[in-house]
Amino acid sequence: MAGYFGTETQQRLQARAEENAAFISATPGACQAGRMMSCDDPDLLGWPQIDAFLARDGVCGFRLIPAETVDDLKARLAERDYRLDTWDVFLGTREAALAASEAILARGLPEGLDDLAGPDDPEGADTVRIQSLMAGAGVVPFSGSLLTGAAGPALTVVIGKRGDKGDGDIVATAHGYLPHNAHSPFHRYAWGGLVAVAESERGKGLGKHVNARMVRGVFRDLGATHVYELVSATNTTSRRMVEACGLNIESGLVCGIATPSGGAHFTR
């Protein structure tokens, strides 16, 4: 597994998540966040293990945590001089999200753009171009292994400009995968995100289209029962995009990343 991308710290954390893939798959309370070690049940995983992640990596992810427990989680992290940066959870069922996404895809793409095949080489040129597009949009990418599905069931969808050989510039991308192990009640829930659109192509509805392709893919190709995406409270553009694809805010769940108090946000 390979294809790490970003700063030295980002690449180190990507490698850590991949190196621990077997542990994540087998351990109750753990989940695969791609960018770092993570959990979807802190009590089940246990605070000694979370403390070990924080001490070693300086960061830990928290996925689909019950909203009523977040204040306690924040208090526990504050005792350790960490804060929890959170995102709202938007959740879609197979029936609703597929119907909405199929309607978007039926409208097609603007002239000169095509749906392209996803990357298949973790260290290939197309994978690096996708990661660069994500990073340019302010999104911390996953490793090439995760993006290509070499590290577990996943898909990356791509829109590109039509070239003479069908290999024009990549202008939009999104990713979906199954983060939760068999011990989790969210085992068949897909995570969708890493949506990025080239600045020169924004305002054409490409975000909705590429997101809809990802949503369709996690249900049809990965066998998901639900899909969720994470959006900050102030990102109105992304909120409209995921709602258009049939996802609705799920106020009972929260996702976040624990980072040192006073430090920078890990991703937007």
Side-chain angles (χ1 to χ4, degrees):
M1 293 185 281
Y4 307 129
F5 186 94
T7 67
E8 181 180 347
T9 296
Q10 289 167 354
Q11 292 190 47
R12 173 174 55 82
L13 294 173
Q14 290 166 18
R16 190 81 71 192
E18 287 192 10
E19 291 163 0
N20 285 275
F23 166 87
I24 293 168
S25 179
T27 304
C31 68
Q32 177 61 273
R35 300 174 174 127
M36 66 198 70
M37 299 300 290
S38 185
C39 69
D40 59 13
D41 189 328
D43 293 331
L44 195 58
L45 181 62
W47 278 92
Q49 183 64 75
I50 294 171
D51 283 336
F53 292 159
L54 293 173
R56 183 189 65 188
D57 302 333
V59 63
C60 182
F62 294 87
R63 288 283 185 90
L64 301 183
I65 304 300
E68 65 267 20
T69 68
V70 169
D71 286 345
D72 178 66
L73 176 58
K74 288 182 176 179
R76 285 177 177 247
L77 290 169
E79 292 172 355
R80 295 156 170 81
D81 201 25
Y82 280 78
R83 71 168 190 271
L84 184 70
D85 297 324
T86 62
W87 289 262
D88 291 337
V89 176
F90 284 77
L91 182 66
T93 63
R94 179 183 179 91
E95 182 178 7
L98 257 182
S101 295
E102 291 282 17
I104 290 171
L105 295 174
R107 301 170 197 157
L109 285 165
E111 181 64 29
L113 298 177
D114 283 323
D115 289 319
L116 304 181
D120 57 12
D121 180 353
E123 296 185 305
D126 283 347
T127 302
V128 174
R129 290 161 67 198
I130 290 168
Q131 291 170 317
S132 297
L133 179 61
M134 291 173 179
V139 177
V140 176
F142 284 178
S143 72
S145 296
L146 283 172
L147 290 177
T148 59
L155 56 86
T156 300
V157 296
V158 180
I159 297 172
K161 289 185 177 179
R162 193 173 302 151
D164 294 339
K165 299 181 181 179
D167 57 356
D169 292 340
I170 292 171
V171 298
T173 189
H175 178 76
Y177 76 116
L178 302 177
H180 305 277
N181 64 34
H183 302 283
S184 173
F186 308 114
H187 177 48
R188 302 308 301 179
Y189 282 45
W191 178 93
L194 305 184
V195 178
V197 178
E199 188 172 358
S200 62
E201 301 298 322
R202 292 174 188 170
K204 299 179 179 180
L206 300 188
K208 287 182 182 178
H209 185 98
V210 79
N211 196 71
R213 258 188 83 197
M214 177 276 296
V215 168
R216 182 176 67 182
V218 298
F219 289 120
R220 290 190 172 182
D221 301 334
L222 303 187
T225 60
H226 297 73
V227 62
Y228 68 95
E229 300 192 53
L230 312 180
V231 187
S232 67
T234 58
N235 191 341
T236 56
T237 300
S238 292
R239 293 170 89 88
R240 287 195 293 265
M241 177 190 72
V242 299
E243 288 172 338
C245 292
L247 284 70
N248 296 299
I249 192 165
E250 175 50 70
S251 59
L253 297 171
V254 173
C255 291
I257 298 175
T259 54
S261 299
H265 291 275
F266 189 83
T267 190
R268 69 176 175 87

